[in-house]
Structure formats: structure tokens, C-alpha cells
Amino acid sequence: MQNQDFQVENFNETTYDKGPSEQPPQQQEPSVFREIMSWVIPIVVAVALVFVLKTYVIINANVPTGSMENTIMTGDNLIGFRLAYKFSDPQRGDVIIFPAPDNPQEKYIKRIIGLPGETVTIEDATVYIDGEVLEEDYLPEEWVVMNDDLEYQVPEGCYFVMGDNRNNSEDARYWTNTYVKGEDIIGKALFIYWPFSDFKGL
């Protein structure tokens, strides 16, 4: 009788020990705060990234006039690169974005024609750089000679700029403050992105 009692007690004890280990573990419900933060953090990071890109890396510009036709058409939207001249100097032919020298509240987009120290001469609707004809295959048409026999000595650290549409461009030929300072250049125009039919690199 003692052995049987012992076996019954031993069997019951074994059954009791196995029971809890076979139950599935309880899963902890995620907190509401953690769920909200999983959405908020990526949005904050994305907004911060866009802010940094627009403030320090790229510039989005809309061209409201035809002064750069046919290179850039009226209404085109383009992207400029703010860091283009951090490690190199602007080059002739670059299309740049800068504050208008006579009205810094406005932004202009023109092409660099004369570099620091050069003499720019306009004669018979032709540009000469230090006496040599400047080949300009980007012009849409021949000029109507409205301003001629002009000569500019570009100061050091400055640039002489003009629009490609010479017959309809409010550029350095007409400004009181003729030259664009290198330190004032906001960026170099890279490509037109809209309308898509005008998409191209500059």
C-alpha cells in the first residue's frame, strides 16, 4: 500500500511539473507611443533631409521669361546645384542662378560670357573675348543690332553674363551694376525637369 501511494503521488507531481511548460508564452502588446514613433521618426527624418537638400545642395527654379530661349523656355522648371563652385571656378558657357545685381530680391538665370580679367566687346551683334570671336551655337537667331560698340573690362572675382535670347534679354548690357560677383552666385543650372517634353541637361 505504501508503494502504491508513493507511485500515485509521484505521477501527480510529474503531471503538475509538465503542465506549465506546455503553455504558449504570452506576447506583450506594443505600446501606443512606440507605434506612433515608428511613423513619426521616418517622417521627421525625411522632412529634415529635404530641408538640407533644398537649403544647401540644390535649388529649384522656375523661369518666367523668354530671356534664355531656346535653351530654357518660358515656364520651364529646372534644378540647380548649389555646391557647383565650392571646389572649382565658374566657366564660360555655364548657366548660373544669381540675385539680380540691380535688385537682389529677384533671381536671374543667365549664361556666363566673360570671365574675370577679360575684355568683352560687342560689335556688329558679335561677342569678342580679348579680341577673339566667341562662337555661340546656342543662340536661337541673329541679333537685331540694338546695342553695339560696347566694351566691358570684367573685374577680378566677377563675371559678365547674358541671356541666350539676345533680342529679348534684360542682362548685363542694361544693368547699372554690370557684373555678377562670384560670391553671389547661388548655383549652376543642371537640368530642366518640367515640363517633361523640355527635359534636358544644361
Side-chain angles (χ1 to χ4, degrees), residues 118-123 126-134 151:
E118 293 182 336
T119 299
V120 179
T121 304
I122 299 175
E123 185 177 341
T126 302
V127 175
Y128 297 84
I129 304 295
D130 293 336
E132 299 291 331
V133 174
L134 176 63
E151 186 170 284

Side-chain angles (χ1 to χ4, degrees), residues 65-74 138-140 164-166:
T65 71
S67 68
M68 283 296 294
E69 293 181 358
N70 291 327
T71 304
I72 304 172
M73 304 303 291
T74 303
Y138 42 77
L139 298 182
D164 289 356
N165 186 359
R166 300 290 161 77

Side-chain angles (χ1 to χ4, degrees), residues 7-164:
Q7 289 176 355
V8 170
E9 290 176 0
N10 187 47
F11 175 80
N12 291 338
E13 182 179 46
T14 302
T15 303
Y16 176 79
D17 288 341
K18 285 183 178 182
S21 65
E22 295 175 354
Q23 296 179 0
Q26 295 181 353
Q27 297 195 6
Q28 185 176 4
E29 293 293 331
S31 67
V32 174
F33 176 77
R34 185 176 301 176
E35 182 70 20
I36 293 175
M37 292 307 293
S38 70
W39 286 93
V40 170
I41 291 176
I43 293 173
V44 171
V45 170
V47 170
L49 181 60
V50 169
F51 174 79
V52 170
L53 286 174
K54 291 190 66 175
T55 305
Y56 302 106
V57 181
I58 65 173
I59 179 171
N60 177 44
N62 174 266
V63 182
T65 71
S67 68
M68 283 296 294
E69 293 181 358
N70 291 327
T71 304
I72 304 172
M73 304 303 291
T74 303
D76 280 352
N77 289 271
L78 57 84
I79 292 294
F81 185 39
R82 294 180 183 272
L83 304 179
Y85 303 122
K86 293 300 181 183
F87 305 104
S88 62
D89 295 330
Q91 300 298 310
R92 190 186 339 277
D94 287 357
V95 178
I96 61 172
I97 305 167
F98 56 94
D102 290 347
N103 184 10
Q105 302 303 317
E106 293 186 37
K107 301 295 186 295
Y108 279 0
I109 299 174
K110 306 292 182 186
R111 188 184 298 274
I112 292 178
I113 300 298
L115 303 177
E118 293 182 336
T119 299
V120 179
T121 304
I122 299 175
E123 185 177 341
D124 295 330
T126 302
V127 175
Y128 297 84
I129 304 295
D130 293 336
E132 299 291 331
V133 174
L134 176 63
E135 299 294 338
E136 300 184 277
D137 57 4
Y138 42 77
L139 298 182
E141 58 187 0
E142 293 185 3
W143 301 11
V144 175
V145 181
M146 295 180 292
N147 41 28
D148 217 16
D149 295 327
L150 304 176
E151 186 170 284
Y152 305 90
Q153 185 65 45
V154 186
E156 291 298 327
C158 296
Y159 299 86
F160 182 84
V161 302
M162 299 174 71
D164 289 356

